[in-house]
Amino acid sequence: MEIIWLAVFAVLLIGYFALEGFDIGVGMMLPLLSRASERAGEPGTRQRHRDRVVAAMAPFVLANEVWLVAAAGTFFGVFPSLDGTVLSGLYPLVVTLLVSWILRDAGLWFRRRLDDRGWQAFWDVVLCAASWGIALTWGAVLASIVRGLPAQPFDVLGLLYGAVVAAAFAFHGHAFVAWRLSAQSEAGSNRRRLLLSAVVAALPVAVPLVALVPSLLDHTAPSATLGVISLIALPVAPILVGAQVWVWRTFGPSRSTGAAARTPSFF
Amino acid sequence: MLDLARLQFAVTGSLHFLFVVLTLGLAPLVAIMQTRHAITGKPVFERMTRFWGQIYVINYALGVFTGLVMEFQFGLSWSGLTHYAGAVFGAPLAIESLVAFFLESTFLGLWIFGWNRLPKKLHLACIWLVTLTAYASAFWILVANSFLQHPAGSVQQGDHLVLTSFGALLTNPSLIMAFPHIIGASLFTGGFVIMGCSAYHLFRRTTEQEFFRRSLRTGVVWALVGTTVASGFGYAQYGILDEIQPGKLNSGVPQIALGIMILIGQGIHFTVMLCLLPLLWRDRLARLRWVQPILMIITPLPFVAAIMGWLVREIGRQPWLVYGRLRVADAMSPGLTKGMVTFSLIAFVGVLCLLAVTDYLLIARAVRRGPAHVALGAAEPAEPTPSPALVL
């Protein structure tokens, strides 16, 4: 049972990096990606290009970011004695991560709510800066956990690992936009590249997780607790997977035709 | 420092519920509107779904932002709770995030971005699944909260609590009346927001009279359902409290808050039942112009009542975090400094308050612009040429 729940937690956290990684990467690369779209000779204003890039990831964000919500909830339920130690031990980093996450989401939810160029540009800056904040803070968080929660979490090593996470996410975001906005003819190679970039985005968390397996296994909740969570959560697992698959089947690159193509993205 | 950490939890928790209570109230009503469109095929129901659905979705954003802070805050500031009671308290929270919110967020994404893309019936299924999982989410959160009020189904083993009976956790007397009470409060809120916004458009005599006459009816009827359920299951909690938390309602703040909540709940209940509901006959209420500003002014009342309810429940629990077992003062994370707590308080409360005000302004603007300018599910006229693929 402990092994199952450790695996569920690992899948959720690695899944978060592999999936939400491209949303964060697209946010970080928003100015570059929209300029690339501009240079490619597409019609429209600069804002339209940014809209197009954000619209590429928009239908996936809610389904992706929730992997971290689930990972955090599972962490609390499965490793209750670690939850408080780790989160309070990383206090300033967790606060920075949450504020960045909230601001990134606010950028997405708010950017198209007013037809005003200044308003949209402002939230796009927030979206981009907060995406960088998430990537860099994740690096510092992971570097800090691996070293046993040092008293000073903001340091050079954390920043360096943040750069690694940021680079992986940026690569993943780039691959995702190429896949989502690709022509039919290039779909195959773009899909392969997206899978590769998902692995790259997952590695910065997967490697430390493997190293942490022994100490995680030492701190699992009593079997009565795990039994209760299993009783409710495991039967629902196929529905969770099904819902995620449904998102990817609905919003793949080749489906945007007819009325769907003419529906402006909500984000 | 303890006060700062408590203030942070109280403010983020209250903000969270202000948005969540409307989410829970609007979700089923929007689902019903979309269902009526699916059955009757009348365009007015599709327009209602998109307009009220957009209000629902804009409001939803802040529910998520504040909810993220809530989820992490236990481990951040109250690691004493995770150490002492995590093996019990963590289970419903893990189930909530895995089973309920994971699906809610995934299906909401499908609903928001699936307009004109998903088959109509599957799209309709999405909003019902969002509603179902939102209520499941509320249930598990309240299971966790009820455990803090009355730690049923657990015993102390060494220095921490262990789970002995999952059944006792789910049939916690602190839960069984409070959950329907909250459902009632949510429907009351959803109904009142629809009623108040409709009154605004009817009063302003905008072009959407038919749309808002229908909406006004929906709002008044659900406000009645909501206040009936909320006050019924509110009073039903007295007997239970006498047994599990005696004296809870006798101290200062809970007593006053309870008084205000009852005044609002009961007052609105009778007003809706005896005045507003009869006036729905032949749409009299939609024509009584002098009443409409009153309907607008009383729209915030369910939000006030909801906050009062939480003040009763949570301040009445003091000084305990887990009632009778763990004091709030003993649950703070060791090693926290005043600087850290002040930093997080300013960061969370500052950012969330700014975003909350922005969100309410956006909702007000969406209401004012009316059903003709809804972004959710809008299809632009066909473009002459499909845009070419992006080359990177």
Side-chain angles (χ1 to χ4, degrees), chain B residues 128-153:
Chain B
W128 278 110
L129 288 166
V130 169
T131 307
L132 184 75
T133 46
Y135 277 80
S137 182
F139 174 78
W140 290 110
I141 292 298
L142 214 58
V143 169
N145 177 273
S146 299
F147 167 79
L148 301 182
Q149 310 291 339
H150 178 61

Side-chain angles (χ1 to χ4, degrees), chain A residues 62 69 73 91 114 225 262-264, chain B residues 71 87 105 116 344 365 378 380 382:
Chain A
L62 287 174
V69 176
Y91 201 96
L114 287 187
T225 309
R262 283 181 280 114
T263 303
Chain B
E71 188 188 20
S105 190
N116 306 323
S344 65
R365 181 175 176 275
E380 283 172 346

Side-chain angles (χ1 to χ4, degrees), chain A residues 183-214:
Chain A
Q184 199 76 48
S185 56
E186 298 157 15
S189 64
N190 280 326
R191 193 182 309 124
R192 280 190 295 280
R193 200 162 139 238
L194 181 59
L195 284 173
L196 170 72
S197 68
V199 174
V200 170
L203 277 178
V205 72
V207 173
L209 255 181
V210 171
L212 291 167
V213 163

Side-chain angles (χ1 to χ4, degrees), chain A residues 5 8 12 32-33 36-38 40-43 48 52-53 58-63 65-74 76-78 80-92 94-99 101-103 105-107 109-110 112-115 119 123 174 177-178 180-183 186 221-222 224-225 228-229 231-234 236 239-241 243-244 246-247 250-252 255-257 259-267, chain B residues 8 54 57-58 60-62 64-66 68-69 71-83 85-103 105-118 122-123 125-126 129 140 160-164 166 169-170 333-334 336 340-345 347-348 351-352 354-356 358-359 362 365 369 375-383 387-392:
Chain A
W5 279 102
V8 171
L12 288 169
L32 284 179
L33 289 170
S37 153
E38 227 172 313
E42 308 261 330
R48 275 299 283 249
R52 188 154 177 260
V53 173
F60 297 88
V61 174
L62 287 174
E65 67 177 6
V66 81
W67 284 67
L68 181 57
V69 176
T74 306
F76 196 168
V78 178
S81 58
L82 276 184
D83 188 82
T85 313
V86 173
L87 291 184
S88 66
L90 295 167
Y91 201 96
V94 175
V95 175
T96 313
L97 183 68
L98 283 175
V99 170
W101 188 3
I102 290 167
L103 287 175
D105 278 14
W109 284 90
F110 290 169
R112 292 188 78 146
R113 297 287 77 77
L114 287 187
D115 292 322
W119 168 273
W123 287 111
H174 191 274
V177 169
R180 182 92 209 286
L181 300 181
S182 65
E186 298 157 15
T225 309
V228 159
I229 305 176
L231 179 75
I232 306 292
L234 293 185
V236 188
I239 305 178
L240 302 187
V241 175
Q244 289 277 322
W246 191 12
V247 169
T250 306
F251 302 110
R255 295 294 186 95
S256 297
T257 51
R262 283 181 280 114
T263 303
S265 173
F266 192 74
F267 285 168
Chain B
Q8 179 178 308
Q54 169 147 316
V57 165
I58 300 176
Y60 191 93
L62 256 285
V64 176
F65 306 166
T66 50
L68 297 178
V69 178
E71 188 188 20
F72 286 85
Q73 207 166 182
F74 295 113
L76 269 182
S77 306
W78 308 102
S79 69
L81 172 69
T82 66
H83 282 287
V88 190
F89 184 69
L93 290 186
I95 294 172
E96 187 272 340
S97 67
L98 258 177
V99 175
F101 188 68
F102 191 95
L103 290 173
S105 190
T106 309
F107 289 131
L108 183 68
L110 279 160
W111 188 71
I112 293 177
F113 297 96
W115 286 92
N116 306 323
R117 189 181 287 262
L118 284 172
L122 285 179
H123 189 245
C126 282
L129 288 166
W140 290 110
H160 62 277
L161 292 178
V162 292
L163 182 67
T164 51
F166 188 46
L169 210 59
L170 297 185
S333 305
L336 285 195
M340 286 156 81
V341 182
T342 312
F343 160 67
S344 65
L345 177 72
F348 288 144
V351 168
L352 290 177
L354 275 175
L355 294 178
T358 310
D359 204 54
L362 289 173
R365 181 175 176 275
R369 283 164 61 95
L376 186 68
E380 283 172 346
E383 279 175 35
S387 53
L390 173 61
V391 182
L392 290 169

Side-chain angles (χ1 to χ4, degrees), chain B residues 237-266:
Chain B
Q237 292 178 54
Y238 275 116
I240 293 169
L241 283 182
D242 272 345
E243 280 174 33
I244 61 173
Q245 291 177 309
K248 178 171 191 167
L249 306 175
N250 298 338
S251 51
V253 175
Q255 200 172 21
I256 299 166
L258 182 67
I260 298 174
M261 176 170 65
I262 290 178
L263 196 67
I264 293 174
Q266 205 60 75

Side-chain angles (χ1 to χ4, degrees), chain A residues 29-46:
Chain A
M29 304 275 285
L30 184 57
L32 284 179
L33 289 170
S34 55
R35 222 158 289 153
S37 153
E38 227 172 313
R39 272 202 306 273
E42 308 261 330
T45 60
R46 177 156 294 176

